[in-house]
Amino acid sequence: MFSMTHSRSLLTKEWYKVPICVDCPNCGAQTRSAGIVVGPSSLIGDPADSAENDILTRPPASLDGFAFVETLSGRTQNIERFVVNRFHSMFAFRNDCLVPICEHCTEGLAPPAIRSSVMNDFVRLGRRRLRVNERLLIYSSKAILTEFHGGTSIEETNFPYPDYAVVLVCDTESPGGDTGTLELWHSIARNDYAVLVRGRDGREVLRDAVNDDLASVVATVSDLGLVLTQLHLAQASSPYCALARDLFLKALGDAGYQQEHQEADHADL
């Protein structure tokens, strides 16, 4: 899945915090922590050891892929602000280097102990369209990256805000008989909903953001003339997705939609 790169400078606003659960090699307890993955728009260049050899001296190149961050060091003020201070129970600075830490003993988790978990979980999140770009600046003059295999398949979402998550996916049919999907997204921080409609080939055909409530979402569905044929939880084990399903079904019922039957993780409408 991966191949090692050399130490380089890194400038990016496309990075993902990937939650993991691993056995701490220091205390032996199972611990929750996280790793960082950077995306294709990240810029990489030769390591910049001084102000004279900075990012403007030699134009960086695009990463053009995803990579697990083994280490970040040098020029760490923004890393401390946007990573350590936000996720202080998961990351710390040790010897001027960002490291994931154990929630129990607070010792650093070495890259080999978490690399596979981070990369595999990131791919799973990507395929479920649940990865979240933090969109905050990271600039490291000394970064070591492990690149994902070139054939790694990760679904692109391109959603405009990093705090939305997809909770429901509905199979749909248009008045003309074409099939597609409707995705319901929710932002807890913004307390609103967004709708993403995709055609049969997965291509995005409509994005309707900032709906105050589910009644507005149902009105959009009705205005589009879409028939919802089956509803799926974005994550079958998530109680939040299950709650969203129940609330959405109620809103559909209030608007006159009728439900045929409901199973554990999907419902026919």
Side-chain angles (χ1 to χ4, degrees):
M1 174 181 284
F2 52 85
S3 58
M4 185 70 73
T5 70
H6 296 292
S7 176
R8 31 256 315 250
S9 66
L10 171 69
L11 176 64
T12 186
K13 290 186 73 175
E14 184 185 0
W15 59 276
Y16 309 85
K17 177 182 67 71
V18 183
I20 56 171
C21 187
V22 297
D23 292 333
C24 175
N26 301 294
C27 68
Q30 189 175 73
T31 181
R32 292 170 296 179
S33 188
I36 291 177
V37 170
V38 293
S41 67
S42 304
L43 301 177
I44 56 175
D46 294 332
D49 296 327
S50 67
E52 290 74 27
N53 184 22
D54 64 11
I55 197 167
L56 298 179
T57 305
R58 296 183 180 180
S62 296
L63 177 61
D64 292 332
F66 293 95
F68 166 64
V69 175
E70 300 270 344
T71 62
L72 288 175
S73 59
R75 300 194 177 182
T76 54
Q77 289 184 350
N78 57 44
I79 301 173
E80 183 171 16
R81 177 183 176 188
F82 294 139
V83 182
V84 176
N85 290 349
R86 294 181 69 215
F87 309 113
H88 56 84
S89 64
M90 296 180 175
F91 297 97
F93 271 124
R94 304 285 164 80
N95 300 320
D96 192 41
C97 184
L98 180 75
V99 294
I101 58 174
C102 171
E103 64 178 332
H104 305 293
C105 67
T106 71
E107 289 295 320
L109 300 172
I114 67 170
R115 183 187 299 125
S116 294
S117 293
V118 171
M119 297 178 81
N120 289 330
D121 287 352
F122 179 74
V123 171
R124 280 194 286 268
L125 288 172
R127 287 174 176 165
R128 296 175 180 176
R129 302 189 295 277
L130 295 173
R131 59 193 175 93
V132 176
N133 181 7
E134 299 295 336
R135 299 179 187 271
L136 298 170
L137 179 68
I138 284 182
Y139 178 40
S140 169
S141 58
K142 296 179 182 178
I144 297 178
L145 309 175
T146 297
E147 295 184 43
F148 284 67
H149 188 277
T152 300
S153 174
I154 301 174
E155 183 77 19
E156 292 290 343
T157 61
N158 297 318
F159 227 76
Y161 305 114
D163 51 1
Y164 279 92
V166 61
V167 289
L168 300 174
V169 180
C170 302
D171 297 335
T172 65
E173 289 184 5
S174 70
D178 291 329
T179 59
T181 58
L182 180 146
E183 299 172 5
L184 178 66
W185 295 67
H186 182 238
S187 167
I188 294 177
R190 299 171 189 273
N191 191 29
D192 60 34
Y193 297 88
V195 172
L196 198 66
V197 180
R198 300 180 185 273
R200 180 170 48 189
D201 58 358
R203 179 176 53 87
E204 179 183 326
V205 295
L206 175 71
R207 180 184 300 179
D208 179 34
V210 194
N211 291 274
D212 292 335
D213 52 34
L214 286 172
S216 299
V217 173
V218 173
T220 297
V221 174
S222 178
D223 291 343
L224 294 172
L226 294 176
V227 176
L228 306 182
T229 56
Q230 196 170 77
L231 183 152
H232 311 266
L233 304 187
Q235 286 188 299
S237 60
S238 168
Y240 304 104
C241 293
L243 176 60
R245 174 197 58 200
D246 295 343
L247 293 174
F248 191 44
L249 288 173
K250 182 180 184 303
L252 288 167
D254 291 343
Y257 284 79
Q258 293 184 347
Q259 180 184 351
E260 293 182 0
H261 68 272
Q262 181 174 336
E263 296 179 2
D265 61 350
H266 73 268
D268 291 332
L269 304 171

PDB file of all heavy atoms in Angstrom, residues 201-224:
ATOM      1  N   ASP A 201     -23.947   7.478 -12.599  1.00  0.00           N
ATOM      2  CA  ASP A 201     -22.510   7.257 -12.698  1.00  0.00           C
ATOM      3  C   ASP A 201     -21.734   7.828 -11.524  1.00  0.00           C
ATOM      4  O   ASP A 201     -20.509   7.827 -11.514  1.00  0.00           O
ATOM      5  CB  ASP A 201     -21.975   7.860 -14.003  1.00  0.00           C
ATOM      6  CG  ASP A 201     -22.268   9.355 -14.116  1.00  0.00           C
ATOM      7  OD1 ASP A 201     -22.909   9.915 -13.200  1.00  0.00           O
ATOM      8  OD2 ASP A 201     -21.864   9.962 -15.126  1.00  0.00           O
ATOM      9  N   GLY A 202     -22.443   8.346 -10.500  1.00  0.00           N
ATOM     10  CA  GLY A 202     -21.797   8.911  -9.335  1.00  0.00           C
ATOM     11  C   GLY A 202     -21.432  10.380  -9.471  1.00  0.00           C
ATOM     12  O   GLY A 202     -20.941  10.993  -8.521  1.00  0.00           O
ATOM     13  N   ARG A 203     -21.689  10.955 -10.640  1.00  0.00           N
ATOM     14  CA  ARG A 203     -21.342  12.361 -10.863  1.00  0.00           C
ATOM     15  C   ARG A 203     -22.304  13.260 -10.098  1.00  0.00           C
ATOM     16  O   ARG A 203     -23.507  13.063 -10.092  1.00  0.00           O
ATOM     17  CB  ARG A 203     -21.396  12.666 -12.358  1.00  0.00           C
ATOM     18  CG  ARG A 203     -21.077  14.117 -12.725  1.00  0.00           C
ATOM     19  CD  ARG A 203     -21.073  14.266 -14.233  1.00  0.00           C
ATOM     20  NE  ARG A 203     -22.314  13.748 -14.823  1.00  0.00           N
ATOM     21  CZ  ARG A 203     -23.404  14.497 -14.965  1.00  0.00           C
ATOM     22  NH1 ARG A 203     -23.424  15.753 -14.561  1.00  0.00           N
ATOM     23  NH2 ARG A 203     -24.493  13.972 -15.530  1.00  0.00           N
ATOM     24  N   GLU A 204     -21.751  14.294  -9.451  1.00  0.00           N
ATOM     25  CA  GLU A 204     -22.577  15.234  -8.711  1.00  0.00           C
ATOM     26  C   GLU A 204     -23.395  16.080  -9.675  1.00  0.00           C
ATOM     27  O   GLU A 204     -22.864  16.675 -10.610  1.00  0.00           O
ATOM     28  CB  GLU A 204     -21.687  16.142  -7.854  1.00  0.00           C
ATOM     29  CG  GLU A 204     -22.439  17.181  -7.051  1.00  0.00           C
ATOM     30  CD  GLU A 204     -21.512  18.090  -6.272  1.00  0.00           C
ATOM     31  OE1 GLU A 204     -20.451  17.604  -5.811  1.00  0.00           O
ATOM     32  OE2 GLU A 204     -21.826  19.284  -6.132  1.00  0.00           O
ATOM     33  N   VAL A 205     -24.721  16.141  -9.443  1.00  0.00           N
ATOM     34  CA  VAL A 205     -25.591  16.936 -10.312  1.00  0.00           C
ATOM     35  C   VAL A 205     -26.243  18.094  -9.559  1.00  0.00           C
ATOM     36  O   VAL A 205     -26.721  19.053 -10.175  1.00  0.00           O
ATOM     37  CB  VAL A 205     -26.689  16.068 -10.960  1.00  0.00           C
ATOM     38  CG1 VAL A 205     -26.077  15.042 -11.893  1.00  0.00           C
ATOM     39  CG2 VAL A 205     -27.555  15.383  -9.899  1.00  0.00           C
ATOM     40  N   LEU A 206     -26.278  18.033  -8.222  1.00  0.00           N
ATOM     41  CA  LEU A 206     -26.876  19.118  -7.459  1.00  0.00           C
ATOM     42  C   LEU A 206     -26.335  19.098  -6.038  1.00  0.00           C
ATOM     43  O   LEU A 206     -26.201  18.042  -5.433  1.00  0.00           O
ATOM     44  CB  LEU A 206     -28.403  18.992  -7.412  1.00  0.00           C
ATOM     45  CG  LEU A 206     -29.119  20.023  -6.519  1.00  0.00           C
ATOM     46  CD1 LEU A 206     -29.057  21.409  -7.148  1.00  0.00           C
ATOM     47  CD2 LEU A 206     -30.574  19.623  -6.267  1.00  0.00           C
ATOM     48  N   ARG A 207     -26.032  20.291  -5.520  1.00  0.00           N
ATOM     49  CA  ARG A 207     -25.630  20.444  -4.125  1.00  0.00           C
ATOM     50  C   ARG A 207     -26.479  21.547  -3.515  1.00  0.00           C
ATOM     51  O   ARG A 207     -26.483  22.681  -3.981  1.00  0.00           O
ATOM     52  CB  ARG A 207     -24.157  20.811  -4.026  1.00  0.00           C
ATOM     53  CG  ARG A 207     -23.659  21.001  -2.605  1.00  0.00           C
ATOM     54  CD  ARG A 207     -22.229  21.463  -2.586  1.00  0.00           C
ATOM     55  NE  ARG A 207     -21.341  20.508  -3.236  1.00  0.00           N
ATOM     56  CZ  ARG A 207     -20.028  20.705  -3.356  1.00  0.00           C
ATOM     57  NH1 ARG A 207     -19.485  21.817  -2.910  1.00  0.00           N
ATOM     58  NH2 ARG A 207     -19.276  19.796  -3.956  1.00  0.00           N
ATOM     59  N   ASP A 208     -27.237  21.205  -2.485  1.00  0.00           N
ATOM     60  CA  ASP A 208     -28.109  22.171  -1.826  1.00  0.00           C
ATOM     61  C   ASP A 208     -27.696  22.258  -0.369  1.00  0.00           C
ATOM     62  O   ASP A 208     -28.028  21.383   0.438  1.00  0.00           O
ATOM     63  CB  ASP A 208     -29.576  21.738  -1.956  1.00  0.00           C
ATOM     64  CG  ASP A 208     -30.522  22.702  -1.252  1.00  0.00           C
ATOM     65  OD1 ASP A 208     -30.225  23.901  -1.243  1.00  0.00           O
ATOM     66  OD2 ASP A 208     -31.548  22.240  -0.722  1.00  0.00           O
ATOM     67  N   ALA A 209     -26.930  23.290  -0.022  1.00  0.00           N
ATOM     68  CA  ALA A 209     -26.389  23.414   1.327  1.00  0.00           C
ATOM     69  C   ALA A 209     -27.246  24.341   2.176  1.00  0.00           C
ATOM     70  O   ALA A 209     -28.085  25.088   1.678  1.00  0.00           O
ATOM     71  CB  ALA A 209     -24.948  23.930   1.260  1.00  0.00           C
ATOM     72  N   VAL A 210     -26.986  24.263   3.478  1.00  0.00           N
ATOM     73  CA  VAL A 210     -27.575  25.158   4.476  1.00  0.00           C
ATOM     74  C   VAL A 210     -29.100  25.094   4.482  1.00  0.00           C
ATOM     75  O   VAL A 210     -29.798  26.036   4.118  1.00  0.00           O
ATOM     76  CB  VAL A 210     -27.104  26.621   4.301  1.00  0.00           C
ATOM     77  CG1 VAL A 210     -27.470  27.430   5.548  1.00  0.00           C
ATOM     78  CG2 VAL A 210     -25.606  26.696   4.069  1.00  0.00           C
ATOM     79  N   ASN A 211     -29.620  23.943   4.869  1.00  0.00           N
ATOM     80  CA  ASN A 211     -31.050  23.781   5.150  1.00  0.00           C
ATOM     81  C   ASN A 211     -31.237  23.787   6.667  1.00  0.00           C
ATOM     82  O   ASN A 211     -30.588  23.031   7.385  1.00  0.00           O
ATOM     83  CB  ASN A 211     -31.569  22.463   4.571  1.00  0.00           C
ATOM     84  CG  ASN A 211     -31.595  22.475   3.048  1.00  0.00           C
ATOM     85  OD1 ASN A 211     -32.550  22.918   2.438  1.00  0.00           O
ATOM     86  ND2 ASN A 211     -30.515  21.998   2.439  1.00  0.00           N
ATOM     87  N   ASP A 212     -32.126  24.648   7.152  1.00  0.00           N
ATOM     88  CA  ASP A 212     -32.286  24.807   8.600  1.00  0.00           C
ATOM     89  C   ASP A 212     -32.822  23.555   9.282  1.00  0.00           C
ATOM     90  O   ASP A 212     -32.493  23.283  10.431  1.00  0.00           O
ATOM     91  CB  ASP A 212     -33.232  25.981   8.898  1.00  0.00           C
ATOM     92  CG  ASP A 212     -32.621  27.314   8.513  1.00  0.00           C
ATOM     93  OD1 ASP A 212     -31.386  27.393   8.475  1.00  0.00           O
ATOM     94  OD2 ASP A 212     -33.386  28.258   8.253  1.00  0.00           O
ATOM     95  N   ASP A 213     -33.664  22.790   8.584  1.00  0.00           N
ATOM     96  CA  ASP A 213     -34.253  21.608   9.198  1.00  0.00           C
ATOM     97  C   ASP A 213     -34.563  20.580   8.115  1.00  0.00           C
ATOM     98  O   ASP A 213     -34.392  20.825   6.921  1.00  0.00           O
ATOM     99  CB  ASP A 213     -35.513  21.963   9.989  1.00  0.00           C
ATOM    100  CG  ASP A 213     -36.517  22.770   9.162  1.00  0.00           C
ATOM    101  OD1 ASP A 213     -36.608  22.540   7.936  1.00  0.00           O
ATOM    102  OD2 ASP A 213     -37.193  23.634   9.736  1.00  0.00           O
ATOM    103  N   LEU A 214     -35.029  19.419   8.564  1.00  0.00           N
ATOM    104  CA  LEU A 214     -35.302  18.339   7.618  1.00  0.00           C
ATOM    105  C   LEU A 214     -36.531  18.619   6.771  1.00  0.00           C
ATOM    106  O   LEU A 214     -36.653  18.088   5.668  1.00  0.00           O
ATOM    107  CB  LEU A 214     -35.466  17.027   8.386  1.00  0.00           C
ATOM    108  CG  LEU A 214     -34.162  16.430   8.917  1.00  0.00           C
ATOM    109  CD1 LEU A 214     -34.436  15.250   9.820  1.00  0.00           C
ATOM    110  CD2 LEU A 214     -33.247  16.015   7.772  1.00  0.00           C
ATOM    111  N   ALA A 215     -37.434  19.465   7.260  1.00  0.00           N
ATOM    112  CA  ALA A 215     -38.585  19.835   6.439  1.00  0.00           C
ATOM    113  C   ALA A 215     -38.126  20.553   5.174  1.00  0.00           C
ATOM    114  O   ALA A 215     -38.701  20.353   4.094  1.00  0.00           O
ATOM    115  CB  ALA A 215     -39.532  20.721   7.242  1.00  0.00           C
ATOM    116  N   SER A 216     -37.078  21.368   5.289  1.00  0.00           N
ATOM    117  CA  SER A 216     -36.526  22.054   4.116  1.00  0.00           C
ATOM    118  C   SER A 216     -35.906  21.048   3.147  1.00  0.00           C
ATOM    119  O   SER A 216     -36.021  21.192   1.925  1.00  0.00           O
ATOM    120  CB  SER A 216     -35.477  23.079   4.547  1.00  0.00           C
ATOM    121  OG  SER A 216     -36.032  24.065   5.387  1.00  0.00           O
ATOM    122  N   VAL A 217     -35.251  20.021   3.698  1.00  0.00           N
ATOM    123  CA  VAL A 217     -34.661  18.983   2.855  1.00  0.00           C
ATOM    124  C   VAL A 217     -35.764  18.243   2.092  1.00  0.00           C
ATOM    125  O   VAL A 217     -35.650  18.001   0.886  1.00  0.00           O
ATOM    126  CB  VAL A 217     -33.839  17.997   3.707  1.00  0.00           C
ATOM    127  CG1 VAL A 217     -33.378  16.820   2.856  1.00  0.00           C
ATOM    128  CG2 VAL A 217     -32.648  18.698   4.328  1.00  0.00           C
ATOM    129  N   VAL A 218     -36.824  17.877   2.791  1.00  0.00           N
ATOM    130  CA  VAL A 218     -37.937  17.162   2.153  1.00  0.00           C
ATOM    131  C   VAL A 218     -38.575  18.024   1.073  1.00  0.00           C
ATOM    132  O   VAL A 218     -38.941  17.533  -0.005  1.00  0.00           O
ATOM    133  CB  VAL A 218     -38.975  16.731   3.202  1.00  0.00           C
ATOM    134  CG1 VAL A 218     -40.214  16.142   2.531  1.00  0.00           C
ATOM    135  CG2 VAL A 218     -38.364  15.706   4.158  1.00  0.00           C
ATOM    136  N   ALA A 219     -38.682  19.329   1.327  1.00  0.00           N
ATOM    137  CA  ALA A 219     -39.239  20.243   0.325  1.00  0.00           C
ATOM    138  C   ALA A 219     -38.362  20.256  -0.924  1.00  0.00           C
ATOM    139  O   ALA A 219     -38.867  20.284  -2.052  1.00  0.00           O
ATOM    140  CB  ALA A 219     -39.372  21.645   0.903  1.00  0.00           C
ATOM    141  N   THR A 220     -37.056  20.207  -0.741  1.00  0.00           N
ATOM    142  CA  THR A 220     -36.141  20.154  -1.887  1.00  0.00           C
ATOM    143  C   THR A 220     -36.351  18.875  -2.679  1.00  0.00           C
ATOM    144  O   THR A 220     -36.401  18.889  -3.917  1.00  0.00           O
ATOM    145  CB  THR A 220     -34.679  20.242  -1.403  1.00  0.00           C
ATOM    146  OG1 THR A 220     -34.471  21.500  -0.766  1.00  0.00           O
ATOM    147  CG2 THR A 220     -33.711  20.099  -2.568  1.00  0.00           C
ATOM    148  N   VAL A 221     -36.474  17.753  -1.980  1.00  0.00           N
ATOM    149  CA  VAL A 221     -36.711  16.471  -2.639  1.00  0.00           C
ATOM    150  C   VAL A 221     -37.999  16.533  -3.450  1.00  0.00           C
ATOM    151  O   VAL A 221     -38.071  16.095  -4.608  1.00  0.00           O
ATOM    152  CB  VAL A 221     -36.780  15.327  -1.602  1.00  0.00           C
ATOM    153  CG1 VAL A 221     -37.181  14.022  -2.277  1.00  0.00           C
ATOM    154  CG2 VAL A 221     -35.440  15.165  -0.905  1.00  0.00           C
ATOM    155  N   SER A 222     -39.035  17.104  -2.852  1.00  0.00           N
ATOM    156  CA  SER A 222     -40.321  17.211  -3.530  1.00  0.00           C
ATOM    157  C   SER A 222     -40.230  18.128  -4.746  1.00  0.00           C
ATOM    158  O   SER A 222     -40.758  17.807  -5.814  1.00  0.00           O
ATOM    159  CB  SER A 222     -41.370  17.735  -2.553  1.00  0.00           C
ATOM    160  OG  SER A 222     -42.630  17.891  -3.195  1.00  0.00           O
ATOM    161  N   ASP A 223     -39.547  19.266  -4.599  1.00  0.00           N
ATOM    162  CA  ASP A 223     -39.412  20.208  -5.712  1.00  0.00           C
ATOM    163  C   ASP A 223     -38.678  19.579  -6.891  1.00  0.00           C
ATOM    164  O   ASP A 223     -38.955  19.895  -8.053  1.00  0.00           O
ATOM    165  CB  ASP A 223     -38.682  21.464  -5.257  1.00  0.00           C
ATOM    166  CG  ASP A 223     -39.514  22.306  -4.302  1.00  0.00           C
ATOM    167  OD1 ASP A 223     -40.735  22.102  -4.253  1.00  0.00           O
ATOM    168  OD2 ASP A 223     -38.928  23.152  -3.597  1.00  0.00           O
ATOM    169  N   LEU A 224     -37.741  18.691  -6.583  1.00  0.00           N
ATOM    170  CA  LEU A 224     -36.981  18.025  -7.643  1.00  0.00           C
ATOM    171  C   LEU A 224     -37.772  16.891  -8.287  1.00  0.00           C
ATOM    172  O   LEU A 224     -37.359  16.360  -9.326  1.00  0.00           O
ATOM    173  CB  LEU A 224     -35.663  17.471  -7.081  1.00  0.00           C
ATOM    174  CG  LEU A 224     -34.638  18.502  -6.596  1.00  0.00           C
ATOM    175  CD1 LEU A 224     -33.487  17.804  -5.890  1.00  0.00           C
ATOM    176  CD2 LEU A 224     -34.124  19.328  -7.764  1.00  0.00           C
TER     177      LEU A 224
END
